[in-house]
Structure formats: C-alpha cells, structure tokens
Amino acid sequence: RVEGNRIEETGARDGGSGQNGNAINVFRADNVSVSGNRIRGAAFSAVRANAAGNVSITGNNCSALGEVAIYVELGSEGAVVASNIVDGAALGIVATNFNHGGRLANIHGNIVRNLVSRRPAGTDPGDAAGIGISAEADAVIAANVVEGAPTAGIQIGWGQYLRDVSVTGNVVKGAPVGIAVSVAPGAGHALIANN
C-alpha cells in the first residue's frame, strides 16, 4: 500500500521518456493500492503503473504534472482508477498498450481538468497531449468529469488498438472534441451512451 503521502517536485534529472520523474511508480508489482496521496509538480506522472496487475489507484489529488497524471501502461491488467482529482497535466488518465497486453480497466468518478497540449522534453514529439481520459481495451470509462482538454475530453482506442470499451455517463466541458474514437482498420467495438 502507498497511502496518505505528500509528494512534491519530483524531477527527472537522469532524463528519459518516463522512466524517471514519477512521484509513485508501480513497476512489475501486482495487487498494489495507491490511495489518498497529495502529489504536485512531478516531471512526468503522479502515479505510473507499468506491467502491474490488479492495481487500485483511488482518492489521490494530483496537480501540475508534466506528462500523464495517472498512467496504466505496458502489460498492466485489471486496474481501478477512481475518485481521483487531476488538475494540470498533458494527459489526465490513460490505460494503454493493448499491443503489449494492457487491458481491463475501470475508470470512474474522477475529475480531470486544466490540461495542456504539450509533453515534457524527452518524449516523442508525435505523442498525443491535451486529452482527459484514454483507454484501449476491455475498459469502462464512467461518471467522470473532464474540463479544459485542448485536444479531446475522452479518447477511445489508438489506431487498430481498440476492443470493447464502454463510455457512459461522463461530462466533458471545454474541449474541441468530446469523445474521439479510433476508426482505423482493425479497430474493435466501443459503446458510447448518455454522455
């Protein structure tokens, strides 16, 4: 358990594209709970789960982040991301890398706001930014509020990487695109309702 901490100004002095600069990094660890933390000013992510199974990220207050505020990536399977506040990041909450086994996320009840359309130095300049919430496979995105996303409030899938994502009951304000869905050849199905 990683609970009740105050973490500020986490730097990435050794560089990289996200290996460093994360306030809380859950790497190849299963059944970890990250809750009730106050995180501000991380160079990359407030919470980054990499190849982590059954991770629970709940009730964290995250602000002024350089990249993805809450990142569930690279083979992470079975994540709950709920009741978090994100205020200021390049992307709010992302569950990604279906091509590397990343799947099965429940993202609900979060507030994501004040996003920016740039990522920190060291990241691929072609990578997306300014997106509130994004997921690719076997995921639910429900009852979230996204405000101030310069690219899109919610993004479902990336290229051909989309399978069985349900998006229901969300509120998106201040975004040029409310919900963006991949329609690339090979992309799977999504359910969008009552947003």
Coordinates of all heavy atoms in Angstrom, one line a residue, residues 95-181:
A95 N -5.1 4.4 -19.8 CA -4.9 3.0 -19.7 C -4.6 2.5 -21.1 O -5.5 2.5 -22.0 CB -6.1 2.3 -19.2
T96 N -3.3 2.1 -21.4 CA -2.9 1.9 -22.8 C -2.0 0.7 -23.0 O -1.8 -0.1 -22.1 CB -2.1 3.2 -23.2 OG1 -1.8 3.1 -24.6 CG2 -0.8 3.3 -22.4
N97 N -1.5 0.6 -24.2 CA -0.6 -0.5 -24.6 C -1.3 -1.9 -24.7 O -0.8 -2.9 -24.3 CB 0.7 -0.6 -23.7 CG 1.5 0.7 -23.8 OD1 1.8 1.2 -22.7 ND2 1.9 1.1 -24.9
F98 N -2.4 -1.9 -25.3 CA -3.2 -3.1 -25.7 C -2.2 -4.0 -26.5 O -2.3 -5.2 -26.3 CB -4.4 -2.7 -26.4 CG -5.3 -3.9 -26.8 CD1 -5.4 -5.0 -26.1 CD2 -6.0 -3.8 -28.0 CE1 -6.2 -6.1 -26.5 CE2 -6.9 -4.8 -28.4 CZ -6.9 -6.0 -27.7
N99 N -1.4 -3.4 -27.3 CA -0.5 -4.2 -28.1 C 0.6 -5.0 -27.3 O 1.3 -5.9 -27.7 CB 0.2 -3.3 -29.2 CG 0.9 -2.1 -28.6 OD1 0.5 -1.6 -27.6 ND2 2.0 -1.7 -29.2
H100 N 0.7 -4.6 -26.0 CA 1.6 -5.3 -25.1 C 0.9 -5.9 -23.9 O 1.4 -6.1 -22.8 CB 2.7 -4.3 -24.5 CG 3.6 -3.8 -25.6 ND1 4.6 -4.5 -26.1 CD2 3.7 -2.6 -26.2 CE1 5.3 -3.8 -27.0 NE2 4.7 -2.6 -27.1
G101 N -0.4 -6.2 -24.1 CA -1.2 -6.8 -23.1 C -1.9 -5.9 -22.1 O -2.5 -6.4 -21.1
G102 N -1.8 -4.6 -22.3 CA -2.5 -3.7 -21.4 C -4.0 -3.7 -21.6 O -4.5 -3.5 -22.8
R103 N -4.8 -4.1 -20.6 CA -6.2 -4.2 -20.8 C -6.9 -4.3 -19.4 O -6.3 -4.3 -18.4 CB -6.6 -5.5 -21.6 CG -6.1 -6.8 -20.9 CD -6.5 -8.0 -21.6 NE -7.9 -8.4 -21.5 CZ -8.4 -9.0 -20.4 NH1 -7.6 -9.4 -19.4 NH2 -9.7 -9.2 -20.3
L104 N -8.3 -4.2 -19.5 CA -9.1 -4.4 -18.3 C -8.9 -3.3 -17.3 O -8.2 -3.4 -16.3 CB -8.8 -5.8 -17.7 CG -9.9 -6.4 -16.8 CD1 -11.1 -6.6 -17.5 CD2 -9.4 -7.7 -16.1
A105 N -9.6 -2.2 -17.5 CA -9.5 -1.0 -16.6 C -10.9 -0.5 -16.3 O -11.8 -0.5 -17.2 CB -8.7 0.1 -17.2
N106 N -11.2 0.0 -15.1 CA -12.4 0.6 -14.7 C -12.0 2.0 -14.2 O -11.4 2.2 -13.2 CB -13.1 -0.2 -13.6 CG -14.5 0.4 -13.3 OD1 -14.7 1.6 -13.4 ND2 -15.4 -0.5 -13.0
I107 N -12.4 3.0 -15.0 CA -12.0 4.4 -14.8 C -13.3 5.2 -14.5 O -14.1 5.4 -15.4 CB -11.3 5.0 -16.0 CG1 -10.0 4.2 -16.3 CG2 -10.9 6.5 -15.7 CD1 -9.4 4.5 -17.6
H108 N -13.5 5.5 -13.2 CA -14.8 6.1 -12.9 C -14.7 7.1 -11.7 O -13.8 7.0 -10.9 CB -15.8 5.0 -12.5 CG -15.5 4.3 -11.2 ND1 -14.7 3.2 -11.2 CD2 -15.9 4.5 -10.0 CE1 -14.7 2.8 -9.9 NE2 -15.4 3.6 -9.2
G109 N -15.6 8.1 -11.8 CA -15.7 9.1 -10.7 C -14.6 10.0 -10.5 O -14.4 10.5 -9.4
N110 N -13.8 10.3 -11.6 CA -12.6 11.2 -11.5 C -13.0 12.6 -12.0 O -13.9 12.7 -12.8 CB -11.5 10.6 -12.3 CG -11.1 9.2 -11.9 OD1 -10.4 9.1 -10.9 ND2 -11.5 8.2 -12.6
I111 N -12.2 13.6 -11.5 CA -12.3 14.9 -12.1 C -11.0 15.2 -12.7 O -9.9 15.1 -12.0 CB -12.6 16.0 -11.0 CG1 -14.0 15.7 -10.4 CG2 -12.5 17.4 -11.6 CD1 -14.4 16.7 -9.3
V112 N -11.0 15.6 -14.0 CA -9.8 15.8 -14.7 C -9.9 17.2 -15.4 O -10.9 17.4 -16.1 CB -9.5 14.8 -15.8 CG1 -8.3 15.1 -16.6 CG2 -9.4 13.4 -15.2
R113 N -9.0 18.1 -15.1 CA -9.2 19.5 -15.6 C -7.8 20.2 -15.9 O -6.8 19.7 -15.5 CB -10.0 20.3 -14.7 CG -9.4 20.4 -13.3 CD -10.4 20.9 -12.2 NE -10.9 22.2 -12.5 CZ -10.6 23.3 -11.7 NH1 -9.8 23.2 -10.7 NH2 -11.1 24.4 -12.0
N114 N -7.9 21.3 -16.7 CA -6.8 22.1 -17.0 C -5.6 21.4 -17.6 O -4.5 21.5 -17.1 CB -6.3 22.9 -15.7 CG -7.4 23.8 -15.2 OD1 -8.2 24.4 -16.0 ND2 -7.6 23.9 -13.9
L115 N -5.9 20.7 -18.7 CA -4.8 20.0 -19.4 C -4.1 20.9 -20.4 O -4.6 22.0 -20.8 CB -5.4 18.8 -20.2 CG -6.2 17.8 -19.2 CD1 -7.0 16.9 -20.0 CD2 -5.2 17.1 -18.3
V116 N -2.9 20.5 -20.8 CA -2.1 21.3 -21.8 C -1.8 20.4 -23.0 O -1.8 19.2 -22.9 CB -0.8 21.9 -21.1 CG1 -1.1 22.8 -20.0 CG2 0.1 20.7 -20.6
S117 N -1.4 21.1 -24.1 CA -1.2 20.4 -25.3 C 0.3 20.1 -25.6 O 0.7 20.0 -26.8 CB -1.9 21.1 -26.5 OG -1.4 22.4 -26.5
R118 N 1.1 19.9 -24.6 CA 2.5 19.6 -24.8 C 3.0 18.6 -23.7 O 2.5 18.6 -22.6 CB 3.3 20.9 -24.8 CG 3.4 21.5 -23.4 CD 4.1 22.9 -23.4 NE 4.2 23.4 -22.1 CZ 3.1 24.0 -21.5 NH1 2.0 24.2 -22.1 NH2 3.3 24.5 -20.2
R119 N 3.9 17.8 -24.1 CA 4.6 16.9 -23.2 C 6.0 17.4 -22.9 O 6.5 18.2 -23.6 CB 4.7 15.5 -23.8 CG 3.3 14.8 -23.9 CD 3.6 13.3 -24.3 NE 2.3 12.6 -24.3 CZ 2.3 11.3 -24.1 NH1 3.4 10.6 -23.9 NH2 1.1 10.6 -24.1
P120 N 6.6 16.8 -21.8 CA 8.0 17.3 -21.5 C 9.0 16.8 -22.5 O 8.8 15.9 -23.3 CB 8.2 16.6 -20.1 CG 7.3 15.4 -20.1 CD 6.1 15.8 -20.9
A121 N 10.2 17.5 -22.4 CA 11.3 17.1 -23.2 C 11.7 15.6 -22.9 O 11.6 15.1 -21.8 CB 12.5 18.0 -22.8
G122 N 12.1 14.9 -24.0 CA 12.5 13.5 -23.9 C 11.4 12.6 -24.4 O 11.7 11.4 -24.7
T123 N 10.2 13.1 -24.5 CA 9.1 12.2 -25.1 C 9.0 12.4 -26.6 O 9.6 13.4 -27.1 CB 7.8 12.6 -24.4 OG1 7.5 14.0 -24.7 CG2 7.8 12.4 -22.9
D124 N 8.4 11.5 -27.2 CA 8.2 11.5 -28.7 C 7.3 12.7 -29.0 O 6.2 12.9 -28.5 CB 7.5 10.2 -29.1 CG 7.4 10.1 -30.7 OD1 7.4 11.2 -31.3 OD2 7.4 9.0 -31.2
P125 N 7.8 13.6 -29.9 CA 7.0 14.8 -30.2 C 5.7 14.5 -30.9 O 4.8 15.3 -31.0 CB 8.0 15.6 -31.1 CG 9.0 14.7 -31.6 CD 9.1 13.6 -30.5
G126 N 5.6 13.3 -31.5 CA 4.4 12.8 -32.1 C 3.3 12.3 -31.2 O 2.2 12.0 -31.6
D127 N 3.7 12.1 -29.9 CA 2.7 11.5 -28.9 C 1.6 12.5 -28.6 O 1.8 13.7 -28.6 CB 3.5 11.2 -27.6 CG 4.2 9.9 -27.7 OD1 4.1 9.1 -28.7 OD2 5.1 9.6 -26.8
A128 N 0.5 12.0 -28.3 CA -0.7 12.8 -28.1 C -0.5 13.6 -26.7 O 0.2 13.2 -25.9 CB -1.9 12.0 -28.0
A129 N -1.3 14.7 -26.7 CA -1.3 15.5 -25.4 C -2.7 16.2 -25.4 O -3.4 16.3 -26.5 CB -0.2 16.5 -25.4
G130 N -3.1 16.8 -24.3 CA -4.3 17.6 -24.2 C -5.6 16.7 -24.2 O -6.6 17.2 -24.6
I131 N -5.4 15.5 -23.7 CA -6.6 14.5 -23.7 C -6.9 14.2 -22.2 O -6.0 13.9 -21.4 CB -6.2 13.2 -24.4 CG1 -6.0 13.5 -25.9 CG2 -7.3 12.2 -24.3 CD1 -5.4 12.4 -26.7
G132 N -8.2 14.2 -21.9 CA -8.6 14.0 -20.5 C -8.4 12.6 -20.0 O -7.7 12.3 -19.1
I133 N -9.1 11.6 -20.7 CA -9.1 10.2 -20.3 C -9.0 9.4 -21.6 O -9.6 9.7 -22.6 CB -10.4 9.8 -19.6 CG1 -10.5 10.6 -18.2 CG2 -10.4 8.3 -19.3 CD1 -11.8 10.4 -17.5
S134 N -8.1 8.3 -21.6 CA -8.0 7.5 -22.7 C -7.8 6.0 -22.3 O -7.2 5.7 -21.3 CB -6.7 7.9 -23.5 OG -6.5 7.1 -24.6
A135 N -8.5 5.1 -23.0 CA -8.4 3.7 -22.8 C -8.5 2.9 -24.1 O -9.1 3.5 -25.1 CB -9.4 3.2 -21.8
E136 N -8.0 1.7 -24.1 CA -7.9 0.9 -25.4 C -8.7 -0.4 -25.4 O -9.3 -0.7 -26.4 CB -6.5 0.7 -25.8 CG -5.7 1.9 -26.1 CD -4.2 1.6 -26.4 OE1 -3.8 0.5 -26.3 OE2 -3.5 2.6 -26.8
A137 N -8.7 -1.1 -24.3 CA -9.2 -2.5 -24.4 C -9.9 -2.9 -23.1 O -9.4 -2.8 -22.0 CB -8.1 -3.5 -24.7
D138 N -11.1 -3.5 -23.2 CA -11.8 -4.2 -22.1 C -12.0 -3.2 -20.9 O -11.6 -3.6 -19.8 CB -11.1 -5.5 -21.7 CG -10.8 -6.4 -22.9 OD1 -11.6 -6.3 -23.9 OD2 -9.8 -7.1 -22.9
A139 N -12.5 -2.0 -21.2 CA -12.4 -1.0 -20.2 C -13.8 -0.3 -20.1 O -14.6 -0.2 -21.0 CB -11.4 0.1 -20.5
V140 N -14.0 0.3 -18.9 CA -15.2 1.1 -18.7 C -14.7 2.5 -18.3 O -13.8 2.6 -17.4 CB -16.1 0.5 -17.5 CG1 -17.1 1.5 -17.1 CG2 -16.7 -0.8 -17.9
I141 N -15.3 3.5 -18.9 CA -15.0 4.9 -18.5 C -16.3 5.5 -18.2 O -17.2 5.7 -19.1 CB -14.3 5.7 -19.7 CG1 -13.0 5.0 -20.1 CG2 -14.1 7.2 -19.3 CD1 -12.4 5.6 -21.4
A142 N -16.6 5.8 -16.9 CA -18.0 6.1 -16.5 C -17.9 7.2 -15.4 O -17.1 7.2 -14.5 CB -18.7 4.9 -16.0
A143 N -18.9 8.1 -15.5 CA -19.2 9.1 -14.4 C -18.0 9.9 -14.0 O -17.8 10.3 -12.9 CB -19.7 8.4 -13.2
N144 N -17.2 10.3 -15.0 CA -16.1 11.2 -14.9 C -16.5 12.6 -15.3 O -17.4 12.8 -16.1 CB -14.9 10.7 -15.7 CG -14.4 9.4 -15.3 OD1 -13.8 9.2 -14.2 ND2 -14.7 8.4 -16.1
V145 N -15.8 13.6 -14.8 CA -15.9 15.0 -15.3 C -14.6 15.4 -15.9 O -13.6 15.4 -15.2 CB -16.4 15.9 -14.2 CG1 -16.5 17.4 -14.7 CG2 -17.7 15.5 -13.6
V146 N -14.6 15.9 -17.2 CA -13.4 16.4 -17.8 C -13.7 17.8 -18.2 O -14.6 18.1 -18.9 CB -13.0 15.5 -19.0 CG1 -11.8 16.1 -19.7 CG2 -12.7 14.1 -18.6
E147 N -12.8 18.7 -17.8 CA -13.0 20.1 -18.2 C -11.6 20.7 -18.6 O -10.6 20.6 -17.9 CB -13.5 20.9 -17.0 CG -13.8 22.4 -17.3 CD -14.3 23.1 -16.1 OE1 -13.6 23.4 -15.2 OE2 -15.5 23.4 -16.1
G148 N -11.6 21.4 -19.8 CA -10.4 22.1 -20.3 C -9.4 21.1 -20.9 O -8.3 21.0 -20.4
A149 N -9.8 20.4 -21.9 CA -8.9 19.4 -22.6 C -8.7 20.0 -24.0 O -9.6 19.9 -24.8 CB -9.5 18.0 -22.6
P150 N -7.5 20.5 -24.4 CA -7.4 21.2 -25.6 C -7.4 20.3 -26.9 O -7.6 20.8 -28.0 CB -6.0 21.8 -25.5 CG -5.3 21.2 -24.4 CD -6.4 20.7 -23.5
T151 N -7.3 19.0 -26.7 CA -7.4 18.0 -27.9 C -8.7 17.3 -27.8 O -9.5 17.4 -28.8 CB -6.2 17.1 -27.9 OG1 -5.0 17.8 -27.9 CG2 -6.3 16.1 -29.1
A152 N -9.0 16.5 -26.8 CA -10.3 15.8 -26.7 C -10.5 15.5 -25.2 O -9.6 15.2 -24.4 CB -10.2 14.5 -27.5
G153 N -11.8 15.4 -24.9 CA -12.1 15.1 -23.5 C -11.8 13.6 -23.2 O -11.2 13.3 -22.2
I154 N -12.3 12.7 -24.1 CA -12.1 11.3 -23.9 C -11.7 10.7 -25.2 O -12.2 11.0 -26.3 CB -13.4 10.6 -23.4 CG1 -13.8 11.1 -22.0 CG2 -13.2 9.1 -23.4 CD1 -15.1 10.6 -21.5
Q155 N -10.6 9.8 -25.2 CA -10.2 9.2 -26.4 C -10.3 7.7 -26.2 O -9.8 7.1 -25.2 CB -8.7 9.5 -26.7 CG -8.2 8.8 -28.0 CD -6.8 9.2 -28.3 OE1 -6.5 10.3 -28.6 NE2 -5.8 8.3 -28.2
I156 N -10.9 7.0 -27.2 CA -11.1 5.6 -27.1 C -10.3 4.9 -28.2 O -10.6 5.1 -29.4 CB -12.6 5.2 -27.3 CG1 -13.5 6.0 -26.3 CG2 -12.8 3.7 -27.1 CD1 -14.9 5.9 -26.5
G157 N -9.4 4.1 -27.9 CA -8.5 3.4 -28.8 C -7.5 4.3 -29.4 O -7.5 5.5 -29.3
W158 N -6.5 3.6 -30.1 CA -5.4 4.3 -30.8 C -5.1 3.4 -32.0 O -4.6 2.3 -31.8 CB -4.2 4.4 -29.9 CG -3.1 5.1 -30.5 CD1 -1.9 4.5 -31.0 CD2 -2.9 6.5 -30.8 NE1 -1.1 5.4 -31.5 CE2 -1.7 6.7 -31.4 CE3 -3.7 7.6 -30.5 CZ2 -1.2 7.9 -31.8 CZ3 -3.3 8.8 -30.9 CH2 -2.0 9.0 -31.5
G159 N -5.3 3.9 -33.2 CA -5.1 3.1 -34.4 C -6.0 1.8 -34.4 O -7.1 1.9 -34.0
Q160 N -5.4 0.7 -34.6 CA -6.1 -0.6 -34.6 C -6.3 -1.1 -33.2 O -7.0 -2.1 -33.0 CB -5.4 -1.6 -35.4 CG -4.0 -2.0 -34.8 CD -3.3 -3.1 -35.6 OE1 -3.9 -3.7 -36.5 NE2 -2.0 -3.3 -35.3
Y161 N -5.8 -0.4 -32.2 CA -5.8 -0.9 -30.8 C -7.1 -0.4 -30.1 O -7.0 0.6 -29.4 CB -4.5 -0.6 -30.0 CG -3.3 -1.1 -30.7 CD1 -2.4 -0.3 -31.3 CD2 -3.1 -2.5 -30.9 CE1 -1.3 -0.8 -32.0 CE2 -2.0 -3.0 -31.5 CZ -1.1 -2.1 -32.1 OH 0.0 -2.6 -32.8
L162 N -8.2 -1.1 -30.3 CA -9.4 -0.8 -29.7 C -10.2 -2.1 -29.6 O -10.4 -2.8 -30.5 CB -10.2 0.2 -30.5 CG -11.7 0.4 -30.1 CD1 -11.8 0.9 -28.6 CD2 -12.4 1.4 -31.0
R163 N -10.7 -2.4 -28.3 CA -11.6 -3.6 -28.2 C -12.5 -3.4 -26.9 O -12.0 -3.1 -25.8 CB -10.8 -4.9 -28.0 CG -11.7 -6.1 -27.8 CD -10.9 -7.4 -27.7 NE -10.3 -7.4 -26.3 CZ -9.3 -8.3 -26.0 NH1 -8.8 -9.1 -26.9 NH2 -8.8 -8.3 -24.8
D164 N -13.8 -3.4 -27.1 CA -14.7 -3.5 -26.0 C -14.5 -2.4 -24.9 O -14.2 -2.7 -23.8 CB -14.7 -4.9 -25.4 CG -15.1 -6.0 -26.4 OD1 -15.8 -5.7 -27.4 OD2 -14.6 -7.1 -26.2
V165 N -14.7 -1.2 -25.3 CA -14.6 -0.1 -24.3 C -16.0 0.5 -24.2 O -16.7 0.9 -25.2 CB -13.6 1.0 -24.8 CG1 -13.6 2.2 -23.8 CG2 -12.2 0.4 -24.9
S166 N -16.5 0.7 -23.0 CA -17.8 1.3 -22.7 C -17.6 2.7 -22.1 O -16.8 2.8 -21.1 CB -18.6 0.4 -21.7 OG -19.7 1.1 -21.3
V167 N -18.2 3.7 -22.7 CA -18.1 5.1 -22.2 C -19.5 5.6 -21.9 O -20.3 5.8 -22.8 CB -17.4 6.0 -23.2 CG1 -17.2 7.4 -22.7 CG2 -16.0 5.4 -23.6
T168 N -19.8 5.8 -20.6 CA -21.2 6.2 -20.2 C -21.2 7.2 -19.1 O -20.4 7.1 -18.2 CB -22.0 4.9 -19.8 OG1 -21.3 4.3 -18.7 CG2 -22.1 3.9 -20.9
G169 N -22.1 8.1 -19.2 CA -22.4 9.0 -18.1 C -21.3 10.0 -17.7 O -21.2 10.4 -16.5
N170 N -20.5 10.4 -18.7 CA -19.4 11.3 -18.4 C -19.9 12.7 -18.8 O -20.8 12.9 -19.6 CB -18.2 10.9 -19.2 CG -17.6 9.6 -18.8 OD1 -17.0 9.4 -17.8 ND2 -17.9 8.6 -19.6
V171 N -19.2 13.7 -18.2 CA -19.4 15.1 -18.5 C -18.1 15.7 -19.1 O -17.1 15.6 -18.4 CB -19.9 15.9 -17.3 CG1 -20.0 17.4 -17.7 CG2 -21.3 15.4 -16.8
V172 N -18.2 16.3 -20.3 CA -17.0 16.9 -20.9 C -17.3 18.3 -21.2 O -18.3 18.6 -21.9 CB -16.5 16.1 -22.2 CG1 -15.4 16.8 -22.8 CG2 -16.2 14.7 -21.9
K173 N -16.5 19.2 -20.7 CA -16.6 20.7 -21.0 C -15.3 21.3 -21.5 O -14.2 20.8 -21.0 CB -17.0 21.4 -19.7 CG -18.4 21.0 -19.2 CD -18.7 21.8 -17.9 CE -18.9 23.3 -18.3 NZ -19.2 24.1 -17.1
G174 N -15.4 22.2 -22.4 CA -14.2 23.0 -22.8 C -13.2 22.1 -23.5 O -12.0 22.2 -23.3
A175 N -13.7 21.3 -24.5 CA -12.9 20.5 -25.4 C -13.4 20.6 -26.8 O -14.6 20.6 -27.0 CB -12.9 19.1 -24.9
P176 N -12.5 20.7 -27.8 CA -12.9 20.8 -29.2 C -13.6 19.5 -29.7 O -14.4 19.5 -30.6 CB -11.6 21.1 -30.0 CG -10.5 20.7 -29.1 CD -11.0 20.8 -27.7
V177 N -13.2 18.4 -29.1 CA -13.8 17.1 -29.4 C -14.2 16.5 -28.0 O -13.4 16.4 -27.1 CB -12.8 16.2 -30.1 CG1 -13.5 14.8 -30.3 CG2 -12.4 16.8 -31.5
G178 N -15.5 16.1 -27.9 CA -15.9 15.5 -26.6 C -15.3 14.1 -26.5 O -14.6 13.8 -25.5
I179 N -15.7 13.2 -27.4 CA -15.2 11.8 -27.4 C -14.7 11.4 -28.7 O -15.4 11.5 -29.7 CB -16.4 10.9 -26.9 CG1 -16.9 11.2 -25.6 CG2 -15.9 9.4 -27.0 CD1 -18.1 10.5 -25.2
A180 N -13.4 11.1 -28.8 CA -12.8 10.7 -30.0 C -12.6 9.1 -30.0 O -12.2 8.6 -29.0 CB -11.4 11.3 -30.2
V181 N -13.0 8.5 -31.1 CA -13.0 7.1 -31.3 C -12.1 6.7 -32.5 O -12.3 7.2 -33.6 CB -14.4 6.5 -31.4 CG1 -14.4 5.0 -31.5 CG2 -15.3 6.9 -30.3

